[in-house]
Amino acid sequence: MKKVLLLLIGPILIISIYGFGLNRENKKTHQFDKKQFTTVEIETILQDSLLNVRAIELVDGLEGLAFLTSKGEFGAIGPKGVFEFLANEELYASENYDIVFPISLTYDSIVPNFRALSATEKHGYGISIGSPALIYKLNIEEDKIKVVYKEEHPKAFYDSMEFWNDQEGIAIGDPTDECMSVIITRDGGNTWTKLSCDVLPKSKEGEAAFAASDTNIAIVGDKVWVATGGKSSRILYSADKGKTWNVFETPIVQGLETTGMYSIDFYDETNGFAIGGDYTKPADSSANKIRTQDGGKTWQLVAKNQSPGYRSCVKYIPNSNGKALVALGFKGIDYSSDYGNTWTHLSDEGFYTIRFLNDSVAYAAGRGRVSKLTFK
């Protein structure tokens, strides 16, 4: 582990003397500006042809973010001067930002492929895909930076991770038995337990999930919704932080390994949206966008045969009363101001995942870059 990681984890991944921590978007804090967005300004902060980022998390109080890559690397971006405690050779700067990257998180000889990143107020956690599946707990002290979960099942493949609170979190993955893989922590991430298929809905043939944007899981209060995909694309739902589970059908396109929901978001306990499609047929918009207004029990197709087609990530715009959404993927960025009924194509620039800093500024990442997006 490089020294830079020990210095960086302090202010960024735990609450320390700098007061920074990772944080999910706050969706409701003030009145949403009713004007419709017509453009998006894209500022590329970090660019590298070998970069592949699907796991990002905002850094509370920093107006920056942390991210993990497919090559087992950790990075962080913040305003100029925020990392002044680091030696100059340990960071580099763009015009407006300081950047710490790359920080290697190899495990023995394994180079983890990270697709998910989440956090409590004190620690950051990253989970890798493939076997062995690894969850890293990051800490300011070198001897406490460790792998806290390891699963060596040949079918292990984890897709997404989220926390309800500082003690309880969840990660989901493809089936290794007769149900989706669901692991839970109740002690702040120190230990993780895989749920038995006795307490989970049985998976259908060909049902799995997509590690496309770390947005297969949505959490509001004690509730959690998990979007599956593939030959069957359904909602796994728990109202009690993963203790008991139900399953709900959806009308989204499914039937092939490449079809179904790729991303889900909930604005509150009743209003949710999911998007996906078939990445091998990215223009197909016949049945790739669905909405619920009853907490995920029933879903309706919206914007049928209307763009956008396949997208890997959808997010509600904060403070929009659930009206405004942004969806993006490798074919571009789209915006809706009417609950997803109609969409405006804002850009052809491709990204995999997005997180909102406020109701007009977001960070997005994908192949080759991490960028700041300003919607106007």
Side-chain angles (χ1 to χ4, degrees), residues 37-54:
F37 296 136
T38 57
T39 62
V40 58
E41 179 183 288
I42 300 173
E43 176 189 1
T44 297
I45 301 171
L46 176 65
Q47 191 165 21
D48 187 320
S49 61
L50 300 179
L51 194 65
N52 186 357
V53 179
R54 300 174 187 266

Side-chain angles (χ1 to χ4, degrees), residues 192-203:
W192 296 76
T193 301
K194 189 168 185 177
L195 298 187
S196 166
C197 286
D198 293 339
V199 300
L200 287 165
K202 297 294 187 288
S203 295

Side-chain angles (χ1 to χ4, degrees), residues 244-271:
T244 61
W245 291 85
N246 292 312
V247 62
F248 306 124
E249 302 290 336
T250 77
I252 202 164
V253 60
Q254 49 200 283
L256 301 174
E257 291 182 353
T258 53
T259 57
M261 289 178 286
Y262 280 70
S263 179
I264 187 172
D265 196 22
F266 268 74
Y267 188 80
D268 52 32
E269 292 187 350
T270 57
N271 295 288

Side-chain angles (χ1 to χ4, degrees), residues 64-354:
L65 76 159
F67 61 94
L68 295 168
T69 79
S70 63
K71 294 183 178 294
E73 299 159 331
F74 173 81
I77 296 169
K80 289 183 70 66
V82 74
F83 301 135
E84 61 184 8
F85 56 91
L86 295 176
N88 288 336
E89 65 270 14
E90 294 175 331
L91 62 90
Y92 61 95
S94 66
E95 182 178 353
N96 299 312
Y97 297 90
D98 282 345
I99 304 167
V100 182
F101 181 78
I103 302 160
S104 175
L105 293 175
T106 56
Y107 176 79
D108 293 334
S109 60
I110 299 169
V111 178
N113 184 339
F114 289 110
R115 301 293 182 93
L117 170 64
S118 192
T120 66
E121 286 189 347
K122 293 184 178 181
H123 302 285
Y125 295 89
I127 190 167
S128 65
I129 61 172
S131 182
L134 304 171
I135 294 181
Y136 281 74
K137 178 182 179 181
L138 306 173
N139 193 287
I140 193 171
E141 298 179 60
E142 184 173 6
D143 61 353
K144 294 182 181 179
I145 299 172
K146 59 183 178 180
V147 171
V148 294
Y149 181 79
K150 183 178 180 181
E151 184 176 334
E152 298 190 79
H153 195 288
K155 293 182 180 180
F157 195 103
Y158 282 87
D159 306 279
S160 192
M161 174 189 286
E162 267 292 354
F163 278 83
W164 286 282
N165 51 52
D166 284 345
Q167 292 299 310
E168 296 167 296
I170 180 174
I172 65 101
D174 296 352
T176 58
D177 199 351
E178 296 180 343
C179 62
M180 295 291 293
S181 295
V182 178
I183 54 177
I184 300 280
T185 181
R186 307 284 185 194
D187 61 2
N190 290 309
T191 61
W192 296 76
T193 301
K194 189 168 185 177
L195 298 187
S196 166
C197 286
D198 293 339
V199 300
L200 287 165
K202 297 294 187 288
S203 295
K204 292 187 176 181
E205 181 181 357
E207 185 176 19
F210 297 110
S213 61
D214 189 20
T215 51
N216 306 84
I217 301 171
I219 283 178
V220 178
D222 292 347
K223 298 180 178 181
V224 61
W225 297 264
V226 174
T228 71
K231 293 183 178 180
S232 181
S233 187
R234 303 185 296 171
I235 299 292
L236 306 186
Y237 169 72
S238 173
D240 52 11
K241 293 183 286 190
K243 296 180 177 68
T244 61
W245 291 85
N246 292 312
V247 62
F248 306 124
E249 302 290 336
T250 77
I252 202 164
V253 60
Q254 49 200 283
L256 301 174
E257 291 182 353
T258 53
T259 57
M261 289 178 286
Y262 280 70
S263 179
I264 187 172
D265 196 22
F266 268 74
Y267 188 80
D268 52 32
E269 292 187 350
T270 57
N271 295 288
F273 201 93
I275 202 165
D278 185 342
Y279 81 89
T280 68
K281 301 175 182 177
D284 186 359
S285 59
S286 58
N288 73 314
K289 299 173 286 294
I290 59 174
R291 182 179 65 216
T292 182
Q293 296 173 295
D294 62 5
K297 296 178 178 64
T298 62
W299 296 78
Q300 298 77 42
L301 287 169
V302 295
K304 292 184 288 185
N305 298 307
Q306 299 178 37
S307 294
Y310 165 79
R311 294 293 184 265
S312 58
C313 189
V314 66
K315 282 290 182 180
Y316 280 100
I317 295 177
N319 317 313
S320 66
N321 297 318
K323 292 182 178 181
L325 301 113
V326 166
L328 53 69
F330 63 81
K331 287 294 185 178
I333 304 168
D334 299 86
Y335 161 73
S336 174
S337 61
D338 60 1
Y339 305 98
N341 291 313
T342 62
W343 293 79
T344 300
H345 187 66
L346 299 182
S347 174
D348 290 333
E349 298 289 337
F351 294 94
Y352 294 144
T353 192
I354 185 172

